[in-house]
């Protein structure tokens, strides 16, 4: 797991080497949740010094500055902290993503469609878009980014805080249909497989396989990522692994009861 940090000159840089996934050795960090656009900053852009030339740099800058305000030196952004040209690293990242979001000190949701620059007569900010219309609530990968972290804060594209998972709980529940208990941190095993599958039904992903891969953490399973296999095959492999793990757990419980 690589992290970003601000160097003495105020620029952002990646940690020199991927950090271990062992919790005691990873420093506290913030994590960004967003929807991808046309000009995202990739791993190679940071390494090559061209990151500032892309529109997506504004999100990295926002995340770094907000993390600093929250007393966090490090932060993580999916677009540029993963070397997707390394297939082993990509496999590891996709299977670890839920845990990385869960372990984050804070998760910042960047809503690109929401602006708070409009002001009412009393000077207070006015949102120019209903949360229900935000693309963030329709994407597959953002499901785990909403569920996994304990603290999820929502921001406009202007960097103004709109609320958090707790204060916006009613609106989030109404938009997503996700039970409030799940938003409040109840163990995901308290919800049936069918119920958790419903949470992804109306969400979309760029690659059809990702509709299955984005559920790894929701079901606490790990399977190889095979882009090109198709959505149905990916979903079947996911269901088979869920069933296999359930049978193993059932056998273990039976042994303990009869042992």
């Amino acid at each position: 797991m690589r992290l970003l940090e601000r160097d003495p000159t105020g620029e952002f840089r990646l940690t020199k080497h991927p950090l271990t996934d062992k919790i005691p050795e990873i420093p506290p960090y913030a994590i960004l949740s967003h929807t991808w656009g046309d000009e995202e900053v990739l791993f190679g852009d940071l390494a090559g010094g061209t990151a500032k030339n892309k529109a997506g740099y504004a999100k990295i800058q926002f995340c770094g500055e907000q993390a600093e305000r929250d007393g966090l030196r490090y932060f993580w952004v999916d677009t540029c902290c993963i070397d997707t040209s390394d297939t082993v690293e990509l496999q590891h990242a996709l299977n670890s993503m839920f845990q990385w979001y869960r372990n984050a000190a804070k998760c910042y949701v960047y809503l690109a469609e929401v602006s708070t620059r409009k002001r009412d007569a009393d000077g207070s900010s006015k949102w120019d878009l209903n949360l229900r219309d935000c693309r963030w609530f329709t994407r597959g990968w953002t499901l785990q980014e909403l569920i996994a972290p304990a603290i999820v804060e929502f921001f406009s594209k202007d960097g103004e805080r709109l609320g958090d998972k707790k204060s916006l709980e009613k609106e989030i529940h109404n938009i997503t249909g996700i039970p409030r208990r799940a938003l409040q941190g109840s163990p995901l095993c308290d919800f049936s497989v069918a119920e958790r599958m419903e949470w992804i039904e109306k969400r979309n992903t760029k690659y059809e396989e990702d509709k299955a891969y984005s559920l790894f953490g929701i079901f606490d399973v790990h399977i190889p990522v095979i882009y090109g296999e198709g959505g149905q095959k990916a979903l079947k492999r996911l269901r088979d692994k869920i069933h296999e793990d359930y049978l193993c757990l059932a056998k273990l419980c039976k042994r303990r009861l009869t042992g």
Side-chain angles (χ1 to χ4, degrees):
M1 182 189 195
R2 291 182 181 82
L3 293 173
L4 284 159
E5 64 176 329
R6 188 190 293 270
D7 66 23
T9 67
E11 299 295 320
F12 299 116
R13 66 185 179 191
L14 289 163
T15 50
K16 291 185 178 180
H17 303 287
L19 297 169
T20 174
D21 283 351
K22 294 180 180 179
I23 304 301
E25 298 179 30
I26 298 178
Y29 62 92
I31 200 164
L32 182 69
S33 177
H34 66 114
T35 54
W36 282 49
D38 295 330
E39 286 193 19
E40 296 296 345
V41 174
L42 306 179
F43 177 80
D45 296 320
L46 279 177
T50 59
K52 287 186 176 181
N53 299 333
K54 290 191 169 183
Y57 187 78
K59 288 187 279 189
I60 295 176
Q61 191 170 25
F62 152 74
C63 190
E65 291 175 352
Q66 185 60 45
E68 188 173 31
R69 284 191 285 271
D70 288 333
L72 297 167
R73 176 180 174 182
Y74 297 97
F75 63 104
W76 189 89
V77 180
D78 59 349
T79 59
C80 58
C81 288
I82 302 171
D83 182 1
T84 56
S85 66
D86 184 331
T87 55
V88 174
E89 182 174 334
L90 180 60
Q91 287 269 354
H92 176 72
L94 294 184
N95 274 281
S96 305
M97 199 80 71
F98 186 90
Q99 201 62 39
W100 290 352
Y101 274 88
R102 170 155 285 178
N103 294 338
K106 283 193 173 185
C107 175
Y108 306 137
V109 176
Y110 182 93
L111 299 177
E113 304 93 338
V114 178
S115 175
T116 49
R117 292 195 182 281
K118 292 184 178 180
R119 298 283 170 176
D120 288 330
D122 61 0
S124 59
S125 61
K126 179 182 180 181
W127 301 5
D128 68 349
L129 187 71
N130 191 298
L131 283 181
R132 184 177 291 277
D133 298 322
C134 289
R135 183 167 166 260
W136 188 85
F137 289 103
T138 70
R139 307 306 295 168
W141 286 104
T142 57
L143 171 61
Q144 65 175 5
E145 295 164 17
L146 170 64
I147 296 293
I151 300 176
V152 180
E153 299 181 338
F154 294 81
F155 293 83
S156 71
K157 66 179 181 180
D158 313 306
E160 187 165 336
R161 191 178 186 277
L162 307 174
D164 56 30
K165 185 161 61 171
K166 184 176 181 179
S167 66
L168 296 171
E169 182 183 296
K170 180 180 178 181
E171 289 88 343
I172 296 171
H173 165 71
N174 289 338
I175 294 169
T176 64
I178 297 172
R180 290 191 174 189
R181 290 187 299 115
L183 297 173
Q184 293 165 358
S186 292
L188 291 175
C189 59
D190 288 353
F191 305 91
S192 69
V193 171
E195 189 171 9
R196 280 176 276 173
M197 283 291 185
E198 287 180 357
W199 301 347
I200 197 74
E201 278 186 0
K202 296 181 180 179
R203 292 173 177 261
N204 304 304
T205 55
K206 181 178 180 179
Y207 301 106
E208 58 180 308
E209 296 89 351
D210 279 339
K211 203 156 188 179
Y213 302 161
S214 63
L215 292 173
F216 287 169
I218 300 297
F219 291 103
D220 194 20
V221 298
H222 303 282
I223 60 175
V225 173
I226 310 173
Y227 284 110
E229 67 175 321
Q232 290 303 315
K233 285 187 177 179
L235 189 57
K236 183 181 184 303
R237 287 199 300 121
L238 175 69
R239 289 184 179 276
D240 288 347
K241 181 60 175 173
I242 294 170
H243 183 63
E244 176 188 325
D245 287 357
Y246 174 79
L247 291 178
C248 288
L249 183 60
K251 288 180 181 178
L252 180 61
C253 291
K254 186 176 180 179
R255 288 175 184 172
R256 287 180 175 177
L257 289 173
T258 58

